[in-house]
Structure formats: C-alpha cells, structure tokens
Amino acid sequence: MSSYKINSLLNNLEAHIENHTVSNPKISKSDVAWHIDHSLKVINRVCETLQSSDPETYKNNFSFLGKVFFTLGFFPRGKAKAPKYVIPPETISKEDLISQILLAKTNVNSIASLDKNAYFKHPLFGNVNSSRIYRFLELHTNHHLKIIGDIVGK
C-alpha cells in the first residue's frame, strides 16, 4: 500500500472544509470541523510518532482486535474514545484545518522513507509499524469521512 490512497482521502477531507460548520446531532455530537480536525490530528501525530520512534524497540504485539478491524476494513461507530492528544479544540478555524491538511500531506509523503519497524503505540491495537500504517490511516480517515458524509447528507 502507498501514500496514494491516503492523499486521496486527504483531498476528500480538504473538500469538506467548506462544510466545516455543518452539524447533525442525529448522526454525531460533533460537527464536520471536529471530524476533519480529529482525522488530521491523528494523521499528523501518528506520522510524527513514527518519525521519532526507535525501530530497534519495536515489538510485534498487534492485537487480535486490530487484526479483526484491519481485515473487516472498518471501525464501528461510537465504540472508541479518542485520546486527549487528538481531541480537537472547542473552536476550530477554517485556516487551522487548511494548515493541518498541508502538514498532513507532507507527513504522509514522509512515511515511505521510514524504517519498516518505525511504529506508534495504539491504545487498542498495540504497536502499529510502518508496514501497517497506511491501512490504519485509511481505515481511520474513511471512518470519519463516512460520518462527515452522513452529517452533510451525501
């Protein structure tokens, strides 16, 4: 897998910035801006963690739950709680979303040059190394894009 799919998903997130103030409480407690911001925070934080990780300390402890979700190709809604460091602020500006998109595009393109055992620790899935990272980012971003689509009625 490559950065092509993730960049395509980033373009999709970027296209939804125009809808950033749209909300639909029947679908989500959060508005479109929250889902975009959260998705970008995850992408950027994961990439930064991969870049600073020590591949020598990687242990393959990828969980059964991770294997199930990666195989099924989706995350169920409303079951997981985002860690504090990827929760968006109370107020999310359009400008901040645009700057995060630009950073995410740069970060995603850096993944290919990383060691195969660069990794980040996921709270439910265990260590996710760079060979699994594209799949993780694809599933997570798609999850939020589906919610955004439902919020805006597409």
Side-chain angles (χ1 to χ4, degrees):
M1 207 175 275
S2 71
S3 62
Y4 177 78
K5 274 189 179 178
I6 307 304
N7 280 310
S8 175
L9 294 171
L10 282 168
N11 290 336
N12 200 340
L13 284 173
E14 187 172 24
H16 280 292
I17 290 175
E18 67 185 43
N19 302 316
H20 73 288
T21 60
V22 178
S23 63
N24 182 342
K26 291 180 182 171
I27 303 296
S28 174
K29 291 183 280 185
S30 305
D31 63 8
V32 169
W34 189 98
H35 288 281
I36 295 171
D37 189 273
H38 169 70
S39 296
L40 294 171
K41 280 183 177 12
V42 167
I43 291 167
N44 287 321
R45 191 67 182 262
V46 163
C47 289
E48 290 161 7
T49 303
L50 287 171
Q51 292 164 8
S52 66
S53 71
D54 178 1
E56 297 292 319
T57 63
Y58 171 73
K59 288 187 175 69
N60 186 359
N61 65 354
F62 196 64
S63 72
F64 174 75
L65 194 60
K67 290 174 185 170
V68 168
F69 290 138
F70 275 45
T71 301
L72 292 175
F74 76 97
F75 300 147
R77 286 191 189 179
K79 300 297 180 201
K81 187 166 171 47
K84 288 179 191 170
Y85 50 88
V86 290
I87 292 179
E90 196 72 30
T91 304
I92 303 165
S93 73
K94 192 173 182 177
E95 293 75 23
D96 188 45
L97 294 176
I98 292 167
S99 70
Q100 286 186 77
I101 285 271
L102 295 173
L103 179 60
K105 288 179 179 182
T106 300
N107 278 334
V108 165
N109 291 331
S110 76
I111 295 171
S113 65
L114 297 174
D115 186 283
K116 68 180 172 75
N117 286 328
Y119 70 99
F120 84 100
K121 183 170 176 46
H122 187 275
L124 294 174
F125 302 155
N127 294 334
V128 181
N129 67 355
S130 55
S131 65
R132 288 187 170 122
I133 201 60
Y134 292 117
R135 181 70 170 156
F136 170 77
L137 293 176
E138 176 191 351
L139 294 176
H140 184 267
T141 307
N142 256 333
H143 171 78
H144 288 282
L145 279 167
K146 286 178 187 174
I147 296 169
I148 290 168
D150 288 350
I151 291 170
V152 299
K154 291 182 181 173

